[in-house]
Coordinates of all heavy atoms in Angstrom, one line a residue:
Chain A
C218 N -14.6 -24.4 -12.7 CA -15.9 -24.9 -13.1 C -16.7 -25.5 -11.9 O -17.6 -26.2 -12.1 CB -15.8 -26.0 -14.2 SG -14.8 -25.4 -15.6
T219 N -16.3 -25.2 -10.7 CA -17.0 -25.7 -9.6 C -17.6 -24.5 -8.8 O -17.3 -23.4 -8.9 CB -16.2 -26.5 -8.6 OG1 -15.3 -25.6 -7.9 CG2 -15.4 -27.6 -9.3
V220 N -18.6 -25.0 -7.9 CA -19.1 -24.0 -6.9 C -18.8 -24.7 -5.6 O -18.9 -25.9 -5.4 CB -20.7 -24.0 -7.1 CG1 -21.3 -23.4 -5.8 CG2 -21.1 -23.2 -8.3
K221 N -18.4 -23.9 -4.6 CA -18.1 -24.4 -3.3 C -19.0 -23.7 -2.3 O -19.2 -22.5 -2.3 CB -16.6 -24.2 -2.9 CG -15.7 -25.3 -3.6 CD -14.3 -25.1 -3.2 CE -13.3 -26.0 -3.9 NZ -13.5 -27.5 -3.6
I222 N -19.4 -24.5 -1.3 CA -20.2 -23.9 -0.2 C -19.3 -24.0 1.0 O -18.7 -25.0 1.4 CB -21.5 -24.8 0.1 CG1 -22.2 -25.1 -1.2 CG2 -22.4 -24.1 1.1 CD1 -22.9 -23.9 -1.9
W223 N -19.2 -22.9 1.7 CA -18.4 -22.8 2.9 C -19.2 -22.5 4.1 O -20.2 -21.7 4.1 CB -17.4 -21.6 2.7 CG -16.6 -21.7 1.5 CD1 -17.0 -21.2 0.2 CD2 -15.3 -22.2 1.2 NE1 -16.1 -21.4 -0.7 CE2 -15.0 -22.0 -0.1 CE3 -14.3 -22.8 2.1 CZ2 -13.8 -22.4 -0.7 CZ3 -13.1 -23.2 1.5 CH2 -12.9 -23.0 0.1
K224 N -18.8 -23.0 5.3 CA -19.5 -22.8 6.5 C -18.6 -22.4 7.6 O -17.5 -22.9 7.7 CB -20.3 -24.0 6.9 CG -21.3 -23.8 8.0 CD -22.3 -24.9 8.1 CE -23.4 -24.5 9.1 NZ -23.9 -25.5 10.0
E225 N -19.0 -21.4 8.4 CA -18.1 -21.0 9.5 C -18.2 -22.0 10.6 O -19.3 -22.6 10.9 CB -18.6 -19.7 10.1 CG -17.7 -19.0 11.0 CD -18.0 -17.6 11.5 OE1 -18.8 -17.0 10.9 OE2 -17.6 -17.3 12.6
C226 N -17.0 -22.4 11.1 CA -17.0 -23.4 12.2 C -16.1 -23.0 13.3 O -15.3 -22.1 13.1 CB -16.6 -24.8 11.6 SG -15.0 -24.7 10.8
Q227 N -16.2 -23.7 14.4 CA -15.3 -23.4 15.5 C -13.9 -23.8 15.2 O -13.7 -24.9 14.8 CB -15.8 -24.1 16.8 CG -17.1 -23.6 17.4 CD -17.1 -22.1 17.6 OE1 -16.1 -21.6 18.2 NE2 -18.1 -21.4 17.1
P228 N -13.0 -22.9 15.5 CA -11.6 -23.3 15.2 C -11.1 -24.4 16.2 O -11.7 -24.5 17.3 CB -10.8 -22.0 15.5 CG -11.7 -21.2 16.3 CD -13.1 -21.5 16.0
E229 N -10.1 -25.1 15.9 CA -9.6 -26.2 16.8 C -9.2 -25.5 18.1 O -8.5 -24.5 18.1 CB -8.4 -26.8 16.1 CG -8.7 -28.2 15.6 CD -9.1 -28.1 14.1 OE1 -10.3 -27.8 13.9 OE2 -8.3 -28.3 13.2
G230 N -9.5 -26.1 19.2 CA -9.1 -25.6 20.5 C -10.3 -24.8 21.1 O -10.4 -24.6 22.3
G231 N -11.1 -24.2 20.2 CA -12.3 -23.5 20.7 C -11.9 -22.3 21.6 O -12.7 -21.9 22.4
Q232 N -10.8 -21.6 21.3 CA -10.4 -20.5 22.2 C -11.2 -19.2 21.8 O -11.6 -19.1 20.6 CB -8.9 -20.2 22.0 CG -8.0 -21.2 22.6 CD -6.6 -21.1 22.0 OE1 -6.5 -21.4 20.8 NE2 -5.6 -20.6 22.7
E233 N -11.3 -18.3 22.7 CA -12.0 -17.0 22.4 C -11.0 -16.2 21.6 O -9.8 -16.2 21.8 CB -12.3 -16.3 23.7 CG -13.4 -16.9 24.5 CD -14.8 -16.7 23.8 OE1 -14.9 -15.7 23.2 OE2 -15.6 -17.5 24.0
G234 N -11.5 -15.4 20.7 CA -10.7 -14.4 20.0 C -9.7 -14.9 19.0 O -9.0 -14.1 18.4
T235 N -9.8 -16.2 18.7 CA -8.8 -16.6 17.6 C -9.5 -16.4 16.3 O -10.7 -16.1 16.2 CB -8.5 -18.1 17.8 OG1 -9.7 -18.8 17.9 CG2 -7.6 -18.4 18.9
D236 N -8.7 -16.5 15.2 CA -9.3 -16.4 13.9 C -10.4 -17.3 13.7 O -10.4 -18.5 14.1 CB -8.2 -16.6 12.9 CG -7.4 -15.4 12.6 OD1 -7.8 -14.3 13.1 OD2 -6.4 -15.4 11.8
V237 N -11.4 -16.9 13.0 CA -12.5 -17.8 12.7 C -12.1 -18.8 11.6 O -11.1 -18.5 10.9 CB -13.8 -17.0 12.1 CG1 -14.2 -16.1 13.2 CG2 -13.4 -16.2 10.9
A238 N -12.8 -19.9 11.5 CA -12.4 -20.8 10.5 C -13.6 -21.1 9.6 O -14.7 -21.2 10.1 CB -11.9 -22.1 11.1
W239 N -13.4 -21.2 8.3 CA -14.4 -21.6 7.4 C -14.0 -22.9 6.7 O -12.9 -23.0 6.3 CB -14.6 -20.5 6.4 CG -15.3 -19.2 7.0 CD1 -14.7 -18.3 7.8 CD2 -16.6 -18.8 6.7 NE1 -15.6 -17.3 8.1 CE2 -16.7 -17.6 7.5 CE3 -17.7 -19.3 6.0 CZ2 -18.0 -16.9 7.5 CZ3 -18.9 -18.5 6.0 CH2 -19.0 -17.3 6.7
K240 N -14.9 -23.8 6.7 CA -14.6 -25.1 6.0 C -15.5 -25.2 4.8 O -16.7 -24.8 4.7 CB -15.0 -26.2 7.0 CG -13.8 -26.9 7.5 CD -14.1 -28.0 8.5 CE -15.3 -28.8 8.2 NZ -15.6 -29.7 9.3
C241 N -14.9 -25.9 3.8 CA -15.7 -26.2 2.6 C -16.6 -27.4 2.9 O -16.1 -28.5 3.1 CB -14.8 -26.4 1.4 SG -15.7 -26.9 -0.1
V242 N -17.9 -27.2 2.9 CA -18.8 -28.3 3.3 C -19.4 -29.0 2.1 O -20.1 -30.0 2.2 CB -19.9 -27.9 4.3 CG1 -19.2 -27.5 5.6 CG2 -20.7 -26.7 3.8
C243 N -19.2 -28.4 0.9 CA -19.9 -29.0 -0.3 C -19.2 -28.4 -1.5 O -18.9 -27.2 -1.6 CB -21.4 -28.7 -0.3 SG -22.2 -29.3 -1.8
T244 N -19.0 -29.3 -2.5 CA -18.4 -28.8 -3.8 C -19.3 -29.3 -4.9 O -19.6 -30.5 -4.9 CB -17.0 -29.3 -4.0 OG1 -16.2 -28.9 -3.0 CG2 -16.5 -28.9 -5.4
L245 N -19.8 -28.4 -5.8 CA -20.6 -28.9 -6.9 C -19.8 -28.9 -8.1 O -19.4 -27.9 -8.7 CB -21.8 -27.8 -7.1 CG -22.7 -27.6 -5.9 CD1 -23.7 -26.5 -6.2 CD2 -23.4 -28.9 -5.5
S246 N -19.4 -30.1 -8.5 CA -18.5 -30.2 -9.7 C -19.2 -31.1 -10.7 O -20.0 -32.0 -10.4 CB -17.1 -30.7 -9.3 OG -17.2 -31.9 -8.7
G247 N -18.8 -31.0 -12.0 CA -19.4 -31.8 -13.1 C -20.6 -31.2 -13.7 O -21.2 -31.7 -14.6
F248 N -21.1 -30.0 -13.1 CA -22.3 -29.4 -13.6 C -22.0 -28.3 -14.7 O -22.8 -28.1 -15.5 CB -23.1 -28.8 -12.5 CG -23.6 -29.8 -11.5 CD1 -22.9 -29.9 -10.3 CD2 -24.7 -30.5 -11.8 CE1 -23.4 -30.8 -9.4 CE2 -25.2 -31.5 -10.9 CZ -24.5 -31.6 -9.6
H249 N -20.9 -27.6 -14.5 CA -20.6 -26.5 -15.4 C -19.5 -26.9 -16.4 O -18.5 -27.5 -16.0 CB -20.1 -25.3 -14.6 CG -21.2 -24.8 -13.7 ND1 -21.3 -25.2 -12.3 CD2 -22.2 -23.9 -13.8 CE1 -22.3 -24.6 -11.7 NE2 -22.9 -23.8 -12.6
G250 N -19.8 -26.5 -17.7 CA -18.8 -26.8 -18.7 C -17.6 -25.9 -18.8 O -16.5 -26.2 -19.2
R251 N -17.8 -24.7 -18.3 CA -16.8 -23.7 -18.3 C -16.8 -22.9 -17.0 O -17.5 -23.2 -16.1 CB -17.1 -22.7 -19.5 CG -17.0 -23.3 -20.9 CD -15.7 -22.7 -21.6 NE -15.4 -23.5 -22.8 CZ -15.8 -23.3 -24.0 NH1 -16.5 -22.2 -24.2 NH2 -15.4 -24.0 -25.0
T252 N -16.0 -21.8 -17.0 CA -15.9 -20.9 -15.9 C -17.3 -20.5 -15.4 O -18.1 -20.1 -16.2 CB -15.1 -19.6 -16.3 OG1 -14.0 -19.9 -16.9 CG2 -14.9 -18.7 -15.1
V253 N -17.4 -20.5 -14.1 CA -18.7 -20.0 -13.5 C -18.4 -18.6 -13.0 O -17.5 -18.4 -12.2 CB -19.1 -20.9 -12.3 CG1 -20.5 -20.5 -11.9 CG2 -19.0 -22.4 -12.6
Y254 N -19.0 -17.6 -13.7 CA -18.7 -16.2 -13.4 C -19.4 -15.6 -12.3 O -19.0 -14.6 -11.7 CB -18.9 -15.4 -14.7 CG -17.8 -15.7 -15.8 CD1 -18.2 -16.3 -17.0 CD2 -16.5 -15.3 -15.5 CE1 -17.2 -16.5 -17.9 CE2 -15.5 -15.6 -16.5 CZ -15.9 -16.2 -17.7 OH -14.9 -16.4 -18.6
D255 N -20.6 -16.1 -12.0 CA -21.4 -15.4 -11.0 C -22.3 -16.4 -10.3 O -22.7 -17.4 -10.9 CB -22.2 -14.2 -11.6 CG -22.7 -13.3 -10.5 OD1 -22.1 -13.3 -9.4 OD2 -23.7 -12.5 -10.7
I256 N -22.7 -16.1 -9.1 CA -23.5 -17.0 -8.3 C -24.4 -16.2 -7.4 O -24.0 -15.1 -6.9 CB -22.7 -18.0 -7.5 CG1 -23.6 -19.0 -6.8 CG2 -21.8 -17.3 -6.5 CD1 -22.8 -20.3 -6.3
A257 N -25.7 -16.6 -7.3 CA -26.6 -15.8 -6.5 C -27.5 -16.7 -5.6 O -28.1 -17.7 -6.2 CB -27.5 -14.9 -7.3
W258 N -27.6 -16.4 -4.4 CA -28.4 -17.2 -3.4 C -29.7 -16.5 -3.2 O -29.7 -15.4 -2.7 CB -27.7 -17.4 -2.1 CG -27.8 -18.8 -1.5 CD1 -29.0 -19.5 -1.5 CD2 -26.8 -19.5 -0.9 NE1 -28.8 -20.7 -0.8 CE2 -27.5 -20.7 -0.5 CE3 -25.5 -19.4 -0.6 CZ2 -26.8 -21.8 0.2 CZ3 -24.8 -20.4 0.1 CH2 -25.5 -21.5 0.5
C259 N -30.8 -17.1 -3.5 CA -32.1 -16.4 -3.4 C -32.5 -16.2 -2.0 O -32.6 -17.2 -1.2 CB -33.2 -17.2 -4.1 SG -34.8 -16.3 -4.0
P260 N -32.7 -14.9 -1.6 CA -33.0 -14.7 -0.2 C -34.4 -15.2 0.2 O -34.7 -15.3 1.4 CB -33.0 -13.1 -0.1 CG -33.1 -12.7 -1.5 CD -32.6 -13.7 -2.4
L261 N -35.3 -15.5 -0.8 CA -36.6 -15.9 -0.4 C -36.7 -17.4 -0.4 O -37.4 -18.0 0.4 CB -37.6 -15.3 -1.5 CG -37.6 -13.8 -1.7 CD1 -38.4 -13.4 -2.9 CD2 -38.1 -13.1 -0.4
T262 N -36.1 -18.1 -1.4 CA -36.3 -19.5 -1.5 C -35.1 -20.4 -1.2 O -35.2 -21.6 -1.0 CB -36.7 -19.9 -2.9 OG1 -35.6 -19.6 -3.8 CG2 -37.9 -19.1 -3.4
G263 N -33.9 -19.7 -1.1 CA -32.7 -20.5 -0.8 C -32.1 -21.2 -2.1 O -31.2 -22.0 -2.0
A264 N -32.7 -21.0 -3.2 CA -32.2 -21.6 -4.4 C -30.9 -20.9 -4.9 O -30.7 -19.7 -4.6 CB -33.2 -21.5 -5.5
L265 N -30.0 -21.6 -5.5 CA -28.7 -21.1 -5.9 C -28.7 -21.0 -7.4 O -28.9 -22.0 -8.1 CB -27.6 -22.0 -5.5 CG -26.7 -21.7 -4.3 CD1 -25.6 -22.8 -4.2 CD2 -26.0 -20.4 -4.5
A266 N -28.4 -19.8 -8.0 CA -28.4 -19.7 -9.4 C -26.9 -19.4 -9.9 O -26.2 -18.7 -9.1 CB -29.3 -18.6 -9.9
T267 N -26.5 -19.9 -11.0 CA -25.2 -19.6 -11.5 C -25.2 -19.1 -12.9 O -26.1 -19.4 -13.7 CB -24.3 -20.9 -11.5 OG1 -24.8 -21.9 -12.3 CG2 -24.1 -21.4 -10.1
A268 N -24.2 -18.3 -13.2 CA -24.0 -17.7 -14.6 C -22.7 -18.3 -15.1 O -21.6 -18.2 -14.4 CB -23.8 -16.2 -14.5
C269 N -22.7 -18.9 -16.3 CA -21.6 -19.7 -16.7 C -21.0 -19.3 -18.1 O -21.8 -18.7 -18.9 CB -21.9 -21.2 -16.8 SG -20.6 -22.3 -17.1
G270 N -19.7 -19.5 -18.3 CA -19.0 -19.2 -19.5 C -19.4 -20.1 -20.6 O -19.0 -19.9 -21.8
D271 N -20.3 -21.1 -20.3 CA -20.8 -22.0 -21.4 C -22.1 -21.5 -21.9 O -22.9 -22.2 -22.5 CB -20.8 -23.4 -20.9 CG -21.9 -23.7 -19.8 OD1 -22.6 -22.7 -19.5 OD2 -21.9 -24.8 -19.3
D272 N -22.4 -20.2 -21.6 CA -23.6 -19.5 -22.0 C -24.9 -20.0 -21.3 O -26.0 -19.6 -21.6 CB -23.9 -19.6 -23.5 CG -22.7 -19.3 -24.4 OD1 -21.7 -18.8 -23.8 OD2 -22.7 -19.6 -25.6
G273 N -24.7 -20.8 -20.3 CA -25.9 -21.4 -19.6 C -26.2 -20.8 -18.2 O -25.3 -20.2 -17.6
V274 N -27.4 -20.9 -17.9 CA -27.9 -20.5 -16.5 C -28.4 -21.7 -15.8 O -29.1 -22.6 -16.4 CB -29.1 -19.5 -16.7 CG1 -29.9 -19.4 -15.4 CG2 -28.5 -18.1 -17.1
R275 N -28.0 -21.9 -14.6 CA -28.4 -23.1 -13.9 C -29.0 -22.7 -12.5 O -28.6 -21.7 -11.9 CB -27.2 -24.0 -13.6 CG -26.7 -24.7 -14.9 CD -25.3 -25.3 -14.7 NE -24.8 -26.0 -15.8 CZ -24.2 -25.4 -16.9 NH1 -24.1 -24.0 -16.9 NH2 -23.7 -26.0 -17.9
V276 N -29.9 -23.5 -12.0 CA -30.4 -23.3 -10.7 C -30.3 -24.6 -9.9 O -30.6 -25.6 -10.4 CB -31.9 -22.9 -10.7 CG1 -32.4 -22.6 -9.3 CG2 -32.1 -21.6 -11.5
F277 N -29.8 -24.5 -8.7 CA -29.6 -25.6 -7.8 C -30.5 -25.5 -6.6 O -30.7 -24.4 -6.1 CB -28.1 -25.7 -7.3 CG -27.1 -25.9 -8.4 CD1 -26.6 -24.9 -9.2 CD2 -26.7 -27.2 -8.7 CE1 -25.7 -25.1 -10.2 CE2 -25.8 -27.5 -9.7 CZ -25.3 -26.4 -10.5
K278 N -30.9 -26.6 -6.1 CA -31.8 -26.6 -4.9 C -31.1 -27.4 -3.9 O -30.5 -28.5 -4.2 CB -33.1 -27.3 -5.3 CG -34.3 -26.3 -5.1 CD -35.6 -26.8 -5.6 CE -36.0 -28.2 -5.4 NZ -37.3 -28.5 -6.0
E279 N -31.3 -27.0 -2.6 CA -30.6 -27.8 -1.6 C -31.5 -29.0 -1.2 O -32.7 -28.9 -1.1 CB -30.5 -26.9 -0.3 CG -29.6 -27.5 0.8 CD -29.1 -26.5 1.8 OE1 -29.4 -25.3 1.6 OE2 -28.5 -26.9 2.8
D280 N -30.8 -30.1 -1.0 CA -31.6 -31.3 -0.6 C -32.0 -31.2 0.8 O -31.2 -30.9 1.7 CB -30.6 -32.6 -0.8 CG -30.3 -32.8 -2.2 OD1 -30.9 -32.2 -3.1 OD2 -29.3 -33.6 -2.5
E281 N -33.3 -31.5 1.1 CA -33.9 -31.3 2.4 C -33.2 -32.2 3.4 O -33.1 -31.8 4.6 CB -35.4 -31.6 2.3 CG -36.2 -30.6 1.5 CD -36.3 -29.3 2.3 OE1 -36.3 -29.3 3.5 OE2 -36.4 -28.2 1.6
T282 N -33.0 -33.4 3.1 CA -32.6 -34.4 4.0 C -31.1 -34.3 4.5 O -30.7 -35.0 5.4 CB -32.8 -35.8 3.5 OG1 -32.1 -35.9 2.2 CG2 -34.2 -36.1 3.3
A283 N -30.3 -33.5 3.8 CA -28.9 -33.5 4.1 C -28.6 -33.0 5.5 O -29.3 -32.2 6.1 CB -28.2 -32.7 3.1
D284 N -27.5 -33.4 6.1 CA -26.9 -33.0 7.3 C -26.5 -31.5 7.2 O -25.8 -31.2 6.2 CB -25.7 -33.9 7.6 CG -24.8 -33.3 8.7 OD1 -25.1 -32.4 9.5 OD2 -23.7 -33.9 8.9
P285 N -26.9 -30.6 8.1 CA -26.5 -29.2 7.9 C -25.0 -28.9 7.8 O -24.6 -27.9 7.1 CB -27.0 -28.5 9.2 CG -27.4 -29.6 10.1 CD -27.6 -30.8 9.3
D286 N -24.2 -29.8 8.3 CA -22.7 -29.6 8.1 C -22.2 -30.3 6.9 O -21.1 -30.2 6.6 CB -22.0 -30.2 9.4 CG -22.1 -29.2 10.5 OD1 -22.3 -28.0 10.3 OD2 -22.1 -29.7 11.7
Q287 N -23.1 -31.0 6.2 CA -22.7 -31.6 4.9 C -23.9 -31.5 3.9 O -24.5 -32.4 3.5 CB -22.4 -33.1 5.1 CG -21.1 -33.3 5.8 CD -20.8 -34.8 5.8 OE1 -21.5 -35.7 6.3 NE2 -19.6 -35.1 5.2
P288 N -24.1 -30.2 3.6 CA -25.3 -30.0 2.7 C -25.1 -30.6 1.3 O -23.9 -30.8 0.9 CB -25.3 -28.4 2.5 CG -24.0 -28.0 2.9 CD -23.4 -29.0 3.8
A289 N -26.2 -30.9 0.6 CA -26.1 -31.4 -0.7 C -27.0 -30.6 -1.6 O -28.1 -30.2 -1.2 CB -26.4 -32.9 -0.8
F290 N -26.6 -30.3 -2.8 CA -27.4 -29.6 -3.8 C -27.6 -30.4 -5.0 O -26.6 -31.1 -5.5 CB -26.7 -28.3 -4.1 CG -26.7 -27.2 -3.0 CD1 -25.8 -27.4 -1.9 CD2 -27.6 -26.2 -3.0 CE1 -25.8 -26.5 -0.9 CE2 -27.6 -25.3 -1.9 CZ -26.7 -25.4 -0.9
S291 N -28.7 -30.3 -5.6 CA -28.9 -30.9 -6.9 C -29.3 -29.9 -7.9 O -29.9 -28.9 -7.6 CB -30.0 -32.0 -6.9 OG -30.6 -32.1 -5.7
L292 N -29.0 -30.2 -9.2 CA -29.3 -29.3 -10.3 C -30.8 -29.4 -10.5 O -31.4 -30.4 -10.8 CB -28.6 -29.8 -11.6 CG -28.8 -28.9 -12.8 CD1 -28.2 -27.5 -12.5 CD2 -28.1 -29.5 -14.0
S293 N -31.5 -28.3 -10.3 CA -32.9 -28.2 -10.4 C -33.4 -27.8 -11.8 O -34.3 -28.4 -12.3 CB -33.4 -27.2 -9.4 OG -34.7 -26.7 -9.6
A294 N -32.7 -26.9 -12.4 CA -33.1 -26.5 -13.8 C -31.9 -25.9 -14.5 O -30.9 -25.4 -13.9 CB -34.2 -25.4 -13.7
H295 N -31.9 -26.0 -15.8 CA -30.7 -25.7 -16.6 C -31.2 -25.1 -17.9 O -32.0 -25.7 -18.6 CB -29.8 -26.9 -16.8 CG -28.7 -26.7 -17.7 ND1 -28.0 -27.7 -18.3 CD2 -28.0 -25.5 -18.0 CE1 -27.0 -27.2 -19.0 NE2 -27.0 -25.9 -18.9
V296 N -30.7 -23.9 -18.3 CA -31.0 -23.3 -19.6 C -29.7 -23.4 -20.3 O -28.8 -22.5 -20.1 CB -31.5 -21.9 -19.5 CG1 -31.9 -21.4 -20.9 CG2 -32.7 -21.8 -18.6
P297 N -29.4 -24.3 -21.2 CA -28.1 -24.5 -21.8 C -27.6 -23.3 -22.7 O -26.5 -22.9 -22.6 CB -28.2 -25.7 -22.7 CG -29.5 -26.3 -22.4 CD -30.4 -25.3 -21.7
K298 N -28.5 -22.7 -23.4 CA -28.1 -21.5 -24.2 C -28.9 -20.3 -23.8 O -29.7 -19.8 -24.5 CB -28.2 -21.8 -25.7 CG -27.1 -22.6 -26.3 CD -25.9 -21.7 -26.4 CE -24.6 -22.5 -26.8 NZ -23.4 -21.8 -26.5
A299 N -28.7 -19.9 -22.5 CA -29.5 -18.8 -22.0 C -29.2 -17.5 -22.8 O -30.0 -16.7 -23.1 CB -29.2 -18.6 -20.5
H300 N -27.9 -17.4 -23.2 CA -27.5 -16.3 -24.1 C -26.6 -16.9 -25.1 O -26.2 -18.1 -25.1 CB -26.7 -15.3 -23.2 CG -27.5 -14.6 -22.2 ND1 -28.2 -13.5 -22.5 CD2 -27.7 -14.8 -20.9 CE1 -28.8 -13.1 -21.4 NE2 -28.5 -13.9 -20.4
T301 N -26.2 -16.1 -26.1 CA -25.4 -16.6 -27.2 C -23.9 -16.5 -26.8 O -23.0 -16.9 -27.6 CB -25.6 -15.9 -28.5 OG1 -25.4 -14.5 -28.3 CG2 -27.1 -16.1 -29.0
Q302 N -23.6 -15.9 -25.7 CA -22.2 -15.7 -25.3 C -22.2 -15.9 -23.7 O -23.2 -16.1 -23.1 CB -21.7 -14.4 -25.6 CG -21.4 -14.2 -27.1 CD -20.8 -12.9 -27.5 OE1 -19.8 -12.5 -26.9 NE2 -21.3 -12.2 -28.5
D303 N -21.0 -15.8 -23.2 CA -20.8 -15.9 -21.7 C -21.9 -15.2 -20.9 O -22.2 -14.0 -21.2 CB -19.5 -15.3 -21.3 CG -18.3 -16.0 -21.7 OD1 -18.4 -17.1 -22.4 OD2 -17.1 -15.6 -21.4

Side-chain angles (χ1 to χ4, degrees):
Chain A
C218 308
T219 71
V220 164
K221 282 184 184 289
I222 314 290
W223 309 83
K224 192 163 186 219
E225 192 174 337
C226 58
Q227 289 308 311
E229 257 88 277
Q232 289 158 293
E233 287 289 329
T235 48
D236 272 356
V237 297
W239 289 73
K240 252 177 38 189
C241 176
V242 294
C243 177
T244 300
L245 303 176
S246 59
F248 295 102
H249 298 90
R251 292 250 165 96
T252 309
V253 192
Y254 286 115
D255 196 20
I256 185 163
W258 218 318
C259 181
L261 304 169
T262 65
L265 254 182
T267 60
C269 187
D271 66 7
D272 309 348
V274 160
R275 291 167 179 79
V276 181
F277 295 84
K278 242 170 42 181
E279 188 164 358
D280 295 346
E281 291 289 330
T282 51
D284 164 12
D286 285 331
Q287 285 188 303
F290 288 77
S291 5
L292 183 62
S293 162
H295 176 202
V296 184
K298 277 288 170 197
H300 293 276
T301 57
Q302 288 183 51
D303 289 1

